[in-house]
Amino acid sequence: MKTKNITQIIIDAIQDKKGTKICNINLSKIPTAPAFDFVICQGKTPAQTTAIADNVIEQVRIKADRKPDTVNGIRNGQWIIVDYGDVMVHVFTPDFREFYNLEDLWIDGEITNIPDLD
């Protein structure tokens, strides 16, 4: 399945669990980038970020028959990374997202902000 399709499944799964401030950073034109796409979002609490990450993992498994290469941060829930190789998902609590500010770190990528559903 193409990266674009996986990315859309991920965005839909985040929205299913009321994740907010979703952005997709296309890094495909940056040779040193660790993935083609970064999908970044936030939940209000560690419990919500964990629910978002769990739903991403489940929906990508069901709809694209893929399991993540690695998952990190589930235990504390403040910054969870779900790595599919070509797509990396970053689920933050608001304070951790502001602190790490990945959007500025990867400013050379093409950033697409996804409107919140609410």
Side-chain angles (χ1 to χ4, degrees), residues 46-65:
Q48 185 183 16
T49 61
T50 301
I52 291 167
D54 288 344
N55 198 46
V56 165
I57 293 165
E58 180 180 7
Q59 292 304 311
V60 173
R61 183 185 54 78
I62 290 168
K63 295 177 180 175
D65 195 30

Side-chain angles (χ1 to χ4, degrees), residues 1-34:
M1 184 169 271
K2 293 183 180 183
T3 299
K4 182 179 177 184
N5 296 336
I6 297 291
T7 300
Q8 189 58 55
I9 292 168
I10 290 166
I11 291 168
D12 292 343
I14 292 167
Q15 290 175 325
D16 284 347
K17 294 298 178 180
K18 309 292 188 222
T20 60
K21 297 187 179 175
I22 303 167
C23 78
N24 179 49
I25 306 176
N26 182 308
L27 303 169
S28 62
K29 295 179 182 171
I30 303 172
T32 58

Side-chain angles (χ1 to χ4, degrees), residues 41-43 45-47 49-50 73-80 90-97 100:
C41 72
Q42 66 187 47
T45 65
T49 61
T50 301
I74 290 283
R75 183 171 294 169
N76 69 23
Q78 295 172 318
W79 178 7
I80 301 170
H90 299 268
V91 186
F92 289 99
T93 55
D95 54 337
F96 269 65
R97 183 173 186 173
Y100 287 101

Side-chain angles (χ1 to χ4, degrees), residues 33-48:
F36 294 130
D37 276 336
F38 272 12
V39 179
I40 303 169
C41 72
Q42 66 187 47
K44 293 178 183 174
T45 65
Q48 185 183 16

